[in-house]
Amino acid sequence: MSRHWFVALAVCLLSSGMCRAEEPFRVFTSVDGKPLEARLVKAEGDDVTLVKRSDNREVVIPLEKLSFADIAYIGLWQEKQGAAPPPKTPPTSAAAETAAKEALFPRPRDEVRSKIREIMNRDRPKELDKTVHEAVCRLNVYRFLSGVPDDVEADPQMIIEAKDAAEACAAAGRIAHDLGHSTNKCNLSQGASMVGSVDNYIGDGGDNNREARGHRRWCLNPAMKKTGFGSKSEFSAMWSLDGSGPKMNRPWSYPGRGYYPLEWLKGNSWSVYLTSPAPPAASLKVRLWKLHGHPATEPPVAAEPSGKAMEIHAVFNYDNAINFEPEGKAFSRGAYLIRIEGAGEPVQIVTELY
C-alpha cells in the first residue's frame, strides 16, 4: 500500500474529527450547583453533548444550564476544533452596551467624591439650625450612595415634632416609640450627636434592630422628601414618615450600586430593597461574592462569577427589605456581587468598596 494512501486516509480522518483526541473527563456544574463528571463530545447551537463517566451514556444539556466556567471551557474547546465559540450573551448595540456599563457603575469614582462634597456643602437656609442642616446633608449623602433621591429637605413642623420626641426620651431616660410626643413617628438615638445619629440609623446595630433594620429603611425610603431633626441632652430624633416623593421602579441597596466609599459603610448588615414586599426569608437564596478584580460587565445570573463566595450568616426580610449579614464585621476594598433569587426576577447588584 502506497504512502499516498495513508496520507489521504489521515486527511479524511482529520476532516471528520475521528483523529482528534478525546477530551478528558471533568466535573461540569449546573447553575443550581449539581456536579456531573463527564467528557465533552459535541457543542452545537445552544446545546452540548456530554458522555457521563458513570455509565458512558450521552446526555444533551442546554448551555444555559451550565456554570460560567463550563461555558468558557466549552468555548475554548470549540476554538480548538475550529468552530466559533457559543455566544455568552446576545449581540447588543453600542448604546445597549453603554447602558449596561452605566447600570453596573452609574458614576465614576471622582464623580462620587464630587457629589458627596456638593451635598455636604449645600447652602443652609438662613432660618435653619446649623446642626439640623448638617444632619440633613449627611442623610442625603447616604441616600445618594444608595441610589435614591438625595434632595430631602428640613421641614419646620417636622423639626418641632422631632425635638418633642427627643425631649420625651430625655424625660424618660430611654429611647422608646411608645412615649407619645411623636416618638412613634421618628427614628430615635441615644448617645450620639444629632449629626452622628444618622450614622447610627444607617448602621442600625443591636439585637432588637437586627431583623428589620427599620431605621435604615426609613432613612433610605425613596419617597421621603422632608424630614426634621431634634435633640435633647444625649437623645436625638429624626422625623421619618414622609412619603410625598416618587416611588422607585427598580431595586436599590445599602451599600449602593457601583462605587461606594468604604468610610461610608456602617454596621455589619447589608440590605436590598425591592419595589414590592419581600417573600419570606426561608424562600430566598442570597449569595455574595468578592469578585476577582474590577468587573467590566455584570456576570450572567445563571453563571458562577469569578470570585470568592462569602458566607451569609443570617437573612431576614421586613416589608420590602431583605437584610443579610455577610461573614466578617469589616469589609476590605474591592468589588462585591450580590445575587438574590426567590423574589421574582433575580436581583444582582455590583458594589465596589474603595
Side-chain angles (χ1 to χ4, degrees), residues 3-48:
R3 180 174 179 274
H4 295 290
W5 187 91
F6 282 110
V7 172
L9 177 61
V11 171
C12 178
L13 292 173
L14 283 169
S15 64
S16 67
M18 292 176 62
C19 282
R20 292 172 181 154
E22 290 184 342
E23 285 294 297
F25 286 97
R26 68 188 295 276
V27 177
F28 291 82
T29 306
S30 66
V31 292
D32 57 0
K34 294 179 181 177
L36 173 65
E37 190 171 12
R39 176 169 51 83
L40 175 62
V41 295
K42 185 168 69 174
E44 196 171 79
D46 294 327
D47 298 322
V48 295

Side-chain angles (χ1 to χ4, degrees), residues 155-341:
D155 177 85
Q157 183 58 38
M158 293 178 186
I159 292 173
I160 292 172
E161 295 190 36
K163 184 171 178 58
D164 190 32
E167 290 174 347
C169 290
R174 60 189 176 91
I175 55 175
H177 294 287
D178 59 357
L179 299 176
H181 301 276
S182 297
T183 54
N184 62 336
K185 300 175 183 178
C186 295
N187 281 346
L188 304 173
S189 173
Q190 181 178 1
S193 67
M194 185 189 295
V195 177
S197 71
V198 180
D199 292 347
N200 285 356
Y201 301 142
I202 293 292
D204 221 356
D207 290 342
N208 57 326
N209 297 322
R210 189 181 181 206
E211 297 187 17
R213 309 283 173 173
H215 303 90
R216 176 189 297 168
R217 178 175 169 272
W218 285 118
C219 286
L220 302 180
N221 174 21
M224 177 186 284
K225 290 284 289 182
K226 299 177 290 184
T227 189
F229 284 87
S231 65
K232 178 68 174 179
S233 183
E234 62 172 334
F235 298 91
S236 296
M238 169 192 158
W239 209 95
S240 303
L241 299 188
D242 180 62
S244 59
K247 303 288 190 287
M248 292 284 280
N249 58 10
R250 63 171 176 79
W252 64 103
S253 66
Y254 171 83
R257 189 184 304 269
Y259 290 113
Y260 196 102
L262 195 57
E263 67 267 25
W264 288 87
L265 183 63
K266 309 297 179 184
N268 68 332
S269 167
W270 295 29
S271 300
V272 172
Y273 301 94
L274 307 179
T275 57
S276 59
S283 66
L284 295 169
K285 183 178 182 181
V286 180
R287 302 185 70 188
L288 178 70
W289 292 267
K290 186 170 186 184
L291 301 177
H292 296 323
H294 175 82
T297 58
E298 183 177 313
V301 173
E304 187 80 8
S306 176
K308 177 195 172 187
M310 299 181 66
E311 182 181 348
I312 303 295
H313 293 308
V315 176
F316 306 103
N317 72 304
Y318 174 72
D319 194 43
N320 68 320
I322 300 170
N323 302 308
F324 61 97
E325 299 169 7
E327 64 180 82
K329 293 189 177 180
F331 299 97
S332 58
R333 290 172 172 79
Y336 296 80
L337 171 69
I338 302 166
R339 180 181 295 166
I340 297 177
E341 297 172 274

Side-chain angles (χ1 to χ4, degrees), residues 33-245:
K34 294 179 181 177
L36 173 65
E37 190 171 12
R39 176 169 51 83
L40 175 62
V41 295
K42 185 168 69 174
E44 196 171 79
D46 294 327
D47 298 322
V48 295
T49 302
L50 307 177
V51 172
K52 296 165 61 178
R53 184 163 197 165
S54 59
D55 56 10
N56 211 39
R57 288 175 51 208
E58 285 191 357
V59 292
V60 178
I61 299 176
L63 276 171
E64 65 181 11
K65 298 294 186 183
L66 295 174
S67 71
F68 185 77
D70 291 337
I71 293 174
Y73 170 82
I74 293 163
L76 290 173
W77 179 85
Q78 286 193 304
E79 288 180 354
K80 288 191 295 182
Q81 309 304 309
K88 295 181 180 64
T89 57
T92 57
S93 66
E97 289 178 355
T98 300
K101 289 179 181 178
E102 289 177 351
L104 196 64
F105 289 91
R107 300 164 296 271
R109 283 192 195 183
D110 58 350
E111 189 176 317
V112 172
R113 293 290 188 190
S114 176
K115 181 67 174 181
I116 291 173
R117 288 194 296 271
E118 181 270 312
I119 294 173
M120 296 293 285
N121 290 295
R122 286 176 178 172
D123 292 337
R124 173 172 62 92
K126 62 180 181 180
E127 70 280 3
L128 185 62
D129 177 81
K130 180 176 180 291
T131 306
V132 173
H133 176 67
E134 290 176 357
V136 173
C137 289
R138 194 162 188 84
L139 170 67
N140 276 319
V141 170
Y142 282 113
R143 290 173 62 85
F144 159 69
L145 291 172
S146 293
V148 299
D150 54 80
D151 56 357
V152 175
E153 297 180 347
D155 177 85
Q157 183 58 38
M158 293 178 186
I159 292 173
I160 292 172
E161 295 190 36
K163 184 171 178 58
D164 190 32
E167 290 174 347
C169 290
R174 60 189 176 91
I175 55 175
H177 294 287
D178 59 357
L179 299 176
H181 301 276
S182 297
T183 54
N184 62 336
K185 300 175 183 178
C186 295
N187 281 346
L188 304 173
S189 173
Q190 181 178 1
S193 67
M194 185 189 295
V195 177
S197 71
V198 180
D199 292 347
N200 285 356
Y201 301 142
I202 293 292
D204 221 356
D207 290 342
N208 57 326
N209 297 322
R210 189 181 181 206
E211 297 187 17
R213 309 283 173 173
H215 303 90
R216 176 189 297 168
R217 178 175 169 272
W218 285 118
C219 286
L220 302 180
N221 174 21
M224 177 186 284
K225 290 284 289 182
K226 299 177 290 184
T227 189
F229 284 87
S231 65
K232 178 68 174 179
S233 183
E234 62 172 334
F235 298 91
S236 296
M238 169 192 158
W239 209 95
S240 303
L241 299 188
D242 180 62
S244 59

